[in-house]
Amino acid sequence: MSDVQEATNQLLDVSLHEHQKSIPVTGSGPRSESQHLQVTIGATVPTGFEQTAADEVREKLGSSCKISKDRGKIYFDISVESLAQVHCLRSVDNLFVVVKEFKDYPFKETKEEVLKDFEELAGKLPWSDPLKVWKINTSFKKKKTKRKKINQNSSKEKTNNGQGDKTDERDDKKGFINNTLDSHILDYYENPAIKEEVSTLVGDDLASCKDEKDESSKEETQPELLKFRVTCNRAGEKHCFSSNEAARDFGGAIQDYFKWKADMTNFDVEVLLNIHDKEIVVGIALTEESLHRRNITHFGPTTLRSTLAYGMLRLCAPQPTDIIVDPMCGTGAIPIEGATEWSNCYHIAGDNNPLAVNRAANNISSLLTKSQIKEGKVSWGLPIDAVQWDICNLPLRTGSVDIIVTDMPFGKRMGSKKRNWNLYPACLREMSRVCRPGTGRAALLTQDKKCFAKALSGMGHVWRKVHTVWVNIGGLHAAVYLLKRTPQAFIHPSEQDGERTPW
Ligand SMILES: C[S@@+](CC[C@H](N)C(=O)[O-])C[C@H]1O[C@@H](n2cnc3c(N)ncnc32)[C@H](O)[C@@H]1O
């Protein structure tokens, strides 16, 4: 039995009753019931790599995926026994279990009507199975250690959006202040695909302070109360309500329905209300920290998400024994992801900046330590090396590399656009030298598309562009170019001159 299977079986033995007083669990026992539980999982993925993620899900879980119209999300059905494998997927950032999907939600005309409907919706949703999955999932979930403050200006804007007479009445009734702010942001929303309003229902600061005191005195006598928050992600067509209002009213109704306690930061359950045009998906978050952070401990100024690194590597279809090089590796996100997922290949990470090489080496070393602690035995190590070099002059034999995957300096936070005019053609030339003619391939990420296109136009004899994936990197419109090395042998410029010489 695999470790994952064993962990899953143990988890199925976990009592589902612990916190869920209002959710009856019937049947002979939680294990037998949960074993047959089928649920839909939603996952956020790097934009442009939805199909790659769908392919990974099909390959590893045998489930086919629905790719959402709302970019950067996929959905697939699983049996709860596969939950541990879902957390091991390399292409997904955040996971949630779907409570209900409305493909064409009948939004009413006025804000008051829509918000009233959201309130009524809370009590009508099929919460039971998703909550069982949430409960089983708590043992898989990596706890988030640090949260980031969000920009106060946008918070202010949300504050004003939420004001109104009607809402005051509702807030009094439910014990929430209106216009409460999302003072924290989860990695979930770092997905740049989600260019949308994000609001989270928050309890009144004062009320929650008071509640905390009250809670501490009640603690000894009363069983633990579930804490929750609602996060609304709203995008697309203009809606007559803000995400703040939707989160607040939907959250208020959930509180009434389950008798849970709203808590912005120390929540147990995070309910997601994802609204995209006329589509609504209500879900329960299964990840607290984005899975893309799993490999890296020493971050640099432009560390790439491991999920995007996975997508780029996968585009090149690595084969056993392939030599895979990232010649501008920074913190090593790409080769580290490569060495973890394609351990039957050899990965080389290089950079001209000694600080970057150091970070990459530290990241490799932390990962080894982590896996030794986890496995409880001395690890075999990872098939990876980190080297300091200049991409324009690589210490590698001509035609010795199968795959090059790299994230080139965009010329914004790293390097400069001006320098890219010299760097990009030199990179492409040197990469064409080391890459095996006929079979070699490269996946190159850049936002400096104009410069890249110009550099590539002079290299048609050695590189053929096969495919472009448009991605969004921290709000920048970037591209991953998949190139194939043509069969033409590399001819050094000096030899080219020689050919032209008559003697
Ligand atoms: C966009 S960053 C790569 C970030 C990396 N993917 C990560 O996750 O940290 C580009 C890298 O190219 C490196 N670089 C720039 N010019 C180079 C050169 N001539 N040779 C090798 N590396 C170079 C920079 O030092 C930088 O680390």
Side-chain angles (χ1 to χ4, degrees), residues 65 134 163 184 188 196 210 251 289 333 351 354 364 367 404 413 463 493:
C65 283
W134 166 82
Q163 280 174 350
H184 299 86
Y188 182 84
E196 58 193 23
K210 180 174 164 291
E289 175 164 88
D351 202 288
I364 297 167
L367 204 62
I404 296 173
R413 241 186 286 176
W463 289 119

Side-chain angles (χ1 to χ4, degrees), residues 296 298-305 326-335 350-354 356-357 359 363 388-394 406-410 414-415 419 423 427 445:
I296 305 294
H298 296 73
F299 286 84
T302 54
T303 302
L304 198 70
R305 304 164 150 252
D326 178 353
M328 296 189 273
C329 70
T331 49
I334 297 171
D351 202 288
N352 68 344
N353 183 341
V357 182
R359 283 196 195 108
N363 281 323
Q388 186 178 349
W389 64 28
D390 178 0
I391 188 164
C392 306
N393 196 11
L394 296 171
T406 204
D407 161 18
M408 302 169 83
F410 287 8
M414 189 62 71
R419 253 182 281 159
L423 180 67
C427 280
L445 166 66

Side-chain angles (χ1 to χ4, degrees), residues 250-279:
F250 187 56
I254 289 178
Q255 187 182 39
D256 285 350
Y257 182 69
F258 285 116
K259 307 284 178 257
W260 289 344
K261 176 174 158 33
D263 192 319
M264 174 59 201
T265 45
N266 293 312
F267 51 89
D268 305 298
V269 183
E270 181 178 30
V271 176
L272 303 169
L273 179 61
N274 294 336
I275 305 172
H276 183 258
D277 290 334
K278 286 204 158 79
E279 185 185 275

Side-chain angles (χ1 to χ4, degrees), residues 53-226:
D55 291 345
E56 188 195 13
V57 170
R58 195 181 40 248
E59 186 185 294
K60 295 184 177 167
L61 300 168
S63 307
S64 54
C65 283
K66 193 191 106 189
I67 295 173
S68 168
K69 273 187 282 165
D70 185 8
R71 287 192 79 201
K73 287 198 188 92
I74 59 165
Y75 295 94
F76 50 95
D77 294 337
I78 58 150
S79 139
V80 75
E81 288 135 87
S82 311
L83 199 53
Q85 280 109 310
V86 173
H87 280 265
C88 295
L89 291 170
R90 310 301 302 188
S91 55
V92 304
D93 283 318
N94 280 278
L95 297 165
F96 54 95
V97 54
V98 173
V99 176
K100 179 101 179 159
E101 181 191 2
F102 300 88
K103 285 201 170 66
D104 192 12
Y105 183 84
F107 281 111
K108 300 254 171 72
E109 285 288 305
T110 67
K111 178 161 90 178
E112 285 70 27
E113 286 173 313
V114 175
L115 295 177
K116 184 99 188 52
D117 280 355
F118 281 157
E119 282 185 29
E120 284 168 11
L121 188 65
K124 293 183 195 153
L125 293 171
W127 294 102
S128 177
D129 283 354
L131 278 167
K132 283 178 200 159
V133 173
W134 166 82
K135 177 66 188 161
I136 291 167
N137 183 73
T138 44
S139 311
F140 295 114
K141 198 167 70 173
K142 200 170 143 229
K143 282 273 168 200
K144 191 173 170 70
T145 44
K146 227 166 123 193
R147 294 180 196 285
K148 292 186 208 152
K149 283 266 176 206
I150 74 160
N151 171 334
Q152 289 299 318
N153 292 335
S154 70
S155 302
K156 260 184 215 149
E157 194 255 323
K158 281 175 192 163
T159 303
N160 294 333
N161 279 348
Q163 280 174 350
D165 301 338
K166 276 257 186 222
T167 53
D168 285 341
E169 265 173 48
R170 263 194 290 265
D171 293 336
D172 283 350
K173 191 171 92 198
K174 297 196 175 118
F176 294 111
I177 56 162
N178 66 343
N179 322 316
T180 44
L181 312 177
D182 183 359
S183 59
H184 299 86
I185 193 158
L186 285 178
D187 283 323
Y188 182 84
Y189 315 109
E190 280 175 16
N191 185 340
I194 308 172
K195 271 214 165 274
E196 58 193 23
E197 214 186 1
V198 178
S199 279
T200 307
L201 167 150
V202 199
D204 181 345
D205 281 352
L206 284 174
S208 65
C209 283
K210 180 174 164 291
D211 283 355
E212 266 164 35
K213 275 193 213 140
D214 292 352
E215 280 307 306
S216 60
S217 57
K218 280 189 230 159
E219 235 166 52
E220 284 149 30
T221 51
Q222 287 192 1
E224 200 188 334
L225 190 66
L226 265 195

